[in-house]
Amino acid sequence: MERLVRSCYRQGGYVFAKKAGGSAHGAGSDRIARLASNENPEAPSPAAVAAAQQAVLTANRYPDERVDVLVAALRAYYGDYTFVTGVGMDGVIETLMRTLVDPGETVAISAPTFSFYGLAAQAQGAKVVPVPRRADFSVDTDALVRVGKAAKIVVLCTPNNPTGNATSADDVQRVLDEIKGVLFLDNAYVEFSGIDYLPLLRKYENLVIGRTFSKVHSLAGLRIGYAFVPAWLQPFYMRAGTPFTMNSVSAAAAAAALSDKEHAARYITQVQVWRKRFSAALKFPVLPSDANFVMVDVAPHTGDEVVEKLAARGVLVRSCRSFTGLADHYIRVSVGEDWENELFIRELNAL
Ligand code: PMP
C-alpha cells in the first residue's frame, strides 16, 4: 500500500536529535546532559506557566483565529509590525511555502542549514536548490543572488543552524536588493547574536523574518513560532494556514513570556559566557558562534561516533551528519546548565 504515499514522503524526512532514554539511559547515567536540541535548560517563566494554566480552563472553546493576545503582545514588545503565527517556526515555514510556492518553482537555500526548509518546499513540489556557503561557512552572497534571482523564495538562516555564524545586515540587504521573490530570514537564534535585522522590514516589501519561542523563551514544548511579514502577505498566509493555527494555551503562555525579560536575559548571559569557555577549554576546534550552540570539529572522529560515545557517558549532543553539504566530522552542542557544559567538556576532551 505504500505506493499510495506521495513520493516526497516515501524516503528521507526530518532527522531528530538523540533523545534521553536511548543509550545514555542504558549506560546507567542518572543525570543526562541534554545538549542536542538548542533548548533553554531553564523551565518556562512562571508568568508563562500561570497564563497557560489559566488558558486551559477555557480550552473547551476554540481559540481566537487571529491570535490577538499574542499579536498584541508582540506589537507591544517590538512595535508596529505585521505578524503571523504558527505551530513552531516549523509551522510558519510550512504555511509560508504553502502560501507562495507553486509546483516547479525554485526555492533557493543557503546551505548547509536547517533541513526543514527543503522538506517543506519539496512538499509543495518546489525545485529546491541548495546554494553552498564558503569554506568558512560565510554566505556566498554572489552565488545566493545568482540562484535567488530565479527563485520564489530565498532562505537564509542567521545565525545559522548548525554552523552558528551570523550574516551581517549589510549582506542580507545585498541579497534583498537583487532578488524578485521573498527572502525568508530565519532568526530562531537572533536573540543570542546582538544583530538587529528589523530595520530592513521598513525598506523591503519582500522580507519575512521568522522567530520562535522555542529557544530563548523556554517554550519548545508548546510549539510557538511567529514571523514579521509585509502587510500584503498576511491575509494570504491566513488563507493558506489551517483555520486555527495556534492553540489558546500556547498563545497565552507566549504572550506572558514576553513580559519576563529577566528570564530571557539570564540565558543570554549564560550563552555568552559559555561560548567563550567552550572555545577555550575544548581540545577540538570550536567554530565562532552567534547562537546558543557551537559547532565543534571533532576530526579525526566522525560526528556519529562522538555522539554515541558521549551518549554512553550521559551527554546528548547532535551529530551534523544529516545536514546536507557538511562533512561528517562535526557535532553541534547547545549551551546548557553549568554542570551539563562542564560534563560535556570533560567527556569530549577525554575521547
Ligand atoms: N529554524 C531553525 C534554524 C531551528 O533550528 C529550529 C528548531 N530546531 C526551527 C526553525 C524550528 O523551531 P520551532 O521549535 O519554533 O519549530
Side-chain angles (χ1 to χ4, degrees), residues 2-209:
E2 285 171 17
R3 68 189 159 76
L4 298 177
V5 175
R6 290 178 62 200
S7 56
C8 64
Y9 293 125
R10 266 184 250 148
Q11 55 189 354
Y14 189 84
V15 178
F16 293 90
K18 209 170 176 61
K19 293 273 184 343
S23 47
H25 228 63
S29 313
D30 47 355
R31 285 172 103 197
I32 311 287
R34 295 163 195 258
L35 306 178
S37 298
N38 305 337
E39 299 142 332
N40 184 335
E42 187 176 331
S45 158
V49 173
Q53 284 170 332
Q54 192 61 35
V56 83
L57 298 176
T58 53
N60 56 312
R61 302 292 179 194
Y62 277 99
D64 166 21
E65 67 275 15
R66 293 185 321 185
V67 206
D68 276 343
V69 64
L70 177 53
V71 170
L74 289 166
R75 289 171 66 90
Y77 191 91
Y78 289 109
D80 184 21
Y81 294 97
T82 306
F83 294 97
V84 296
T85 63
V87 181
M89 201 203 300
D90 292 337
V92 173
I93 293 164
E94 201 268 343
T95 303
L96 190 71
M97 297 292 174
R98 216 133 41 94
T99 312
L100 296 175
V101 180
D102 271 323
E105 291 187 318
T106 295
V107 173
I109 304 175
S110 179
T113 193
F114 185 53
S115 68
F116 188 62
Y117 318 120
L119 296 170
Q122 263 165 19
Q124 303 308 320
K127 180 176 166 224
V128 175
V129 183
V131 182
R133 286 168 174 257
R134 301 194 188 94
D136 65 355
F137 302 118
S138 62
V139 173
D140 184 342
T141 44
D142 289 340
L144 194 57
V145 162
R146 220 176 305 124
V147 180
K149 274 185 172 166
K152 178 57 85 67
I153 303 185
V154 176
V155 180
L156 176 51
C157 185
T158 173
N160 187 41
N161 178 7
T163 56
N165 60 315
T167 303
S168 72
D170 283 351
D171 278 351
V172 172
Q173 187 157 349
R174 272 216 52 217
V175 177
L176 281 164
D177 279 333
E178 300 285 338
I179 63 171
K180 309 276 182 300
V182 162
L183 178 68
F184 179 70
L185 201 66
D186 182 327
N187 272 183
Y189 302 100
V190 77
E191 292 89 345
F192 308 106
S193 76
I195 302 180
D196 184 7
Y197 298 98
L198 298 186
L200 296 173
L201 289 161
R202 302 280 182 224
K203 217 178 144 195
Y204 295 94
E205 271 204 319
N206 60 340
L207 174 60
V208 174
I209 298 184

